[in-house]
Amino acid sequence: MAFISKKFLAKFTGLAILLYAIVLILAGCAGGQRPPLPTLAATVAIEVAANESSTTPQPPTDTPTPSTTPTPAGTNTPGPSPTPSNTATATPTNTAVPTNTPTSLPQLNPVLTVTAPVELLEGIPTPSTAVPTAVPTFEVPDSTTNILLLGSDTAIGSNDTRTDTMIIVSVNQDGPTASMISLPRDLYVYIPGKTMNRLNTALSLGGVELLKQTILYNFGIPIHYYARVDFQGFETAVDAIGGVDIAVSCRLQDWRLISPELDPEDEDNWEQFALEPGLHHIDGDTALWFARSRLSTNDFDRGRRQQQLLRALLNQGVDIGLVSQFPSLWEAYQDNVETDMDIGRMLQFATLAPGIRENGVQHLYLVRGIVPWETPGGAQVQLPVWEGENNLEETFSRLFRVPALNRAGRRPITVEIINATGNPDMALLAADNLAWYGFVPIIGEDTPETEPFTQMFYYRPNFKDSFDWMISWIFDMFRSQIQLAEDDSFEYEYKVILGEDYDPCLNQLYQPQEFINQ
């Protein structure tokens, strides 16, 4: 295992503890004899097929191309459940994970303590929108734990408790599998015992307990534990591990301070900064910009990038062998993170890490089931729509469903990638997209000549259980374009030949979803 110096550990503050104490569930050690299964192409060694010549392509299906702008609530188009990514990394440093199940405090089931608004007193204005009744609480299996991750632009311990980042991680120990869902701060909801307001204001109005109650009242999700770190801790953690590799599939441009030490109040200290599509190694300051930027995109895409960066950072930490050092890290730096999770529970999650990586993580976003609205005061917010197809009730219910391409109950689907674009980054970005949704990509040898169009082949007798609806969407093709090539001797299920028309930029917020049988 790699030796980590005390000086290095001293830098690993704030978010590092959050990553390994709370989201260890998403890390895990590479082990066994299986080939690497990349999650983020930049952080993973992807298997290269040995001397395989390119074959003829295959066709996708009539899956519609996703729209690029989030639409309001509840379209009537059902779809498939977001297929998680099977994260795998290049053989890291054989990091050990605790093998004995540690003793932890019993997991309590949260209950709603405020079921209706308090009567308005004389002189208190009537709320500008009707207060909704509490939604039914989801039945959470005994083996499932819901963890609320919070990121703050103010220091831990300060009186100001704003939060821009709210992510629920749901861990199913039976798989084991995990799901993540980002909560936009501008959701306009009822704050129990208060009034209607943005979701993130619950933290400043009544602390984490009120935020937990707000999530339970409006979304029916009991939060068992939480962890909160500030952005300075996040930036320090990224720099402490030498930066992080990130796969950028869509060009991102926004304003950025020319240098972190400059005064942000001086407009001359800002410049336009962009990350072009490709693989980038970024430092803490750039990672924070990547996680917070939203002027050129929106809060939904920012939540997606935060999930992506969290996964990349976790993989990087595992690769350099920090997982096994969690107990000593926690002992030294527990004051840099706010959490109500006991050490025994954290170590329990650490033992699940390899299985979760193997079986997959599901990524969810709240773009279906919300309606843009302007308050009488002129604030732009999002109103939740709970019931109905593709609305929030359905999206939140997916937290407790296993990822569609999880490996706990099905074989992996392997995809060979042949790069005929002339751009070496395109194969890595395609592999990253495939792995994010649960496929197992293998990068073959590039072709000496470019091809104008992307082609896809499927090497099985029929398309049953092929997830052709998902892979065709990933490559912006119709299912009918996938060519059926019956060849039992071919090593992989799919072969994709990337042509010059290949665009890795996906609108992941509108990924196709599996139908839920009600």
Side-chain angles (χ1 to χ4, degrees):
M1 183 180 70
F3 173 73
I4 309 297
S5 68
K6 290 182 179 179
K7 181 178 179 182
F8 180 92
L9 292 180
K11 296 178 182 178
F12 201 78
T13 60
L15 183 71
I17 301 302
L18 173 68
L19 294 179
Y20 293 100
I22 310 303
V23 202
L24 260 175
I25 53 171
L26 301 180
C29 305
Q33 300 302 313
R34 67 182 189 279
L37 314 176
T39 302
L40 287 172
T43 62
V44 180
I46 300 169
E47 179 178 346
V48 177
N51 300 324
E52 298 230 345
S53 58
S54 55
T55 341
T56 326
Q58 289 191 275
T61 62
D62 38 302
T63 311
T65 306
S67 73
T68 54
T69 322
T71 55
T75 65
N76 289 325
T77 315
S81 138
T83 333
S85 63
N86 287 324
T87 65
T89 54
T91 309
T93 50
N94 292 329
T95 315
V97 173
T99 53
N100 296 323
T101 304
T103 301
S104 64
L105 299 175
Q107 178 174 297
L108 301 178
N109 293 318
V111 295
L112 194 61
T113 57
V114 178
T115 57
V118 294
E119 292 184 10
L120 296 176
L121 302 178
E122 184 178 353
I124 297 179
T126 303
S128 55
T129 186
V131 173
T133 57
V135 305
T137 299
F138 283 102
E139 284 191 28
V140 178
D142 292 338
S143 59
T144 296
T145 301
N146 299 322
I147 307 160
L148 178 62
L149 307 182
L150 302 173
S152 176
D153 59 0
T154 55
I156 294 296
S158 67
N159 293 328
D160 195 343
T161 52
R162 294 191 307 269
T163 181
D164 279 344
T165 302
M166 294 173 283
I167 299 174
I168 298 174
V169 179
S170 185
V171 187
N172 173 12
Q173 300 181 45
D174 283 345
T177 57
S179 297
M180 304 173 69
I181 190 166
S182 298
L183 304 179
R185 67 176 188 176
D186 290 335
L187 283 173
Y188 202 64
V189 298
Y190 174 60
I191 311 295
K194 308 293 183 181
T195 186
M196 299 291 293
N197 212 326
R198 284 187 171 93
L199 176 62
N200 69 337
T201 61
L203 194 63
S204 57
L205 291 174
V208 174
E209 287 307 313
L210 183 57
L211 180 56
K212 287 182 178 183
Q213 285 286 303
T214 303
I215 292 171
L216 184 57
Y217 186 99
N218 293 277
F219 310 125
I221 304 295
I223 299 298
H224 300 103
Y225 303 104
Y226 85 96
R228 185 170 80 95
V229 293
D230 56 45
F231 290 140
Q232 181 58 50
F234 173 87
E235 186 175 334
T236 304
V238 175
D239 288 334
I241 61 175
V244 64
D245 294 321
I246 197 81
V248 178
S249 295
C250 305
R251 185 178 190 272
L252 179 65
Q253 179 172 334
D254 208 339
W255 289 100
R256 180 185 178 187
L257 270 177
I258 296 172
S259 184
E261 69 276 1
L262 295 177
D263 180 6
E265 300 300 322
D266 186 346
E267 63 181 24
D268 292 334
N269 292 337
W270 293 83
E271 65 178 357
Q272 283 286 307
F273 178 79
L275 285 177
E276 301 293 339
L279 304 179
H280 298 269
H281 186 79
I282 57 178
D283 61 11
D285 181 58
T286 307
L288 187 59
W289 173 85
F290 184 81
R292 300 200 69 195
S293 168
R294 73 169 189 153
L295 291 180
S296 61
T297 55
N298 52 51
D299 204 22
F300 304 101
D301 188 69
R302 177 170 66 172
R304 177 197 63 78
R305 280 181 273 113
Q306 288 169 351
Q307 291 192 27
Q308 180 188 6
L309 189 55
L310 184 59
R311 291 286 294 275
L313 189 54
L314 287 165
N315 286 337
Q316 186 96 347
V318 173
D319 287 349
I320 62 175
L322 288 180
V323 173
S324 66
Q325 302 188 44
F326 163 70
S328 57
L329 284 171
W330 177 253
E331 181 65 28
Y333 301 114
Q334 56 186 299
D335 291 340
N336 297 109
V337 64
E338 224 179 63
T339 184
D340 55 359
M341 184 181 295
D342 62 274
I343 184 69
R345 184 69 62 182
M346 296 177 196
L347 292 174
Q348 269 191 349
F349 289 141
T351 66
L352 298 176
I356 289 176
R357 160 169 285 174
E358 177 74 15
N359 295 331
V361 178
Q362 178 176 215
H363 296 270
L364 300 169
Y365 315 103
L366 296 183
V367 290
R368 296 174 172 95
I370 56 170
V371 179
W373 187 65
E374 182 176 323
T375 69
Q380 301 298 319
V381 296
Q382 304 287 342
L383 288 178
V385 179
W386 183 250
E387 296 179 332
E389 195 171 64
N390 273 339
N391 288 334
L392 295 193
E393 181 181 20
E394 181 178 302
T395 302
F396 277 104
S397 73
R398 295 181 187 277
L399 269 176
F400 309 116
R401 296 170 59 85
V402 296
L405 269 177
N406 85 91
R407 290 161 147 228
R410 59 157 298 123
R411 61 175 177 78
I413 297 180
T414 53
V415 183
E416 183 183 27
I417 301 168
I418 303 297
N419 190 3
T421 66
N423 181 345
D425 274 357
M426 289 299 104
L428 293 170
L429 292 177
D432 177 67
N433 283 340
L434 285 166
W436 187 258
Y437 292 102
F439 295 91
V440 179
I442 298 94
I443 296 181
E445 292 187 351
D446 292 359
T447 58
E449 297 181 0
T450 60
E451 295 284 345
F453 303 109
T454 298
Q455 305 169 69
M456 189 184 303
F457 303 91
Y458 184 64
Y459 290 87
R460 292 298 179 266
N462 56 64
F463 288 106
K464 182 180 179 181
D465 202 28
S466 66
F467 281 75
D468 54 345
W469 52 268
M470 175 62 79
I471 196 170
S472 59
W473 174 78
I474 290 173
F475 289 97
D476 193 20
M477 303 171 76
F478 292 107
R479 295 165 73 181
S480 57
Q481 294 176 271
I482 303 176
Q483 301 176 44
L484 190 62
E486 297 186 37
D487 183 358
D488 293 337
S489 64
F490 189 70
E491 188 174 357
Y492 311 112
E493 277 84 351
Y494 283 97
K495 172 180 281 190
V496 177
I497 300 177
L498 301 177
E500 293 174 312
D501 65 336
Y502 173 63
D503 183 358
C505 184
L506 296 173
N507 186 358
Q508 294 180 337
L509 300 176
Y510 286 95
Q511 61 198 26
Q513 296 179 317
E514 277 192 320
F515 291 106
I516 292 181
N517 296 322
Q518 301 292 349

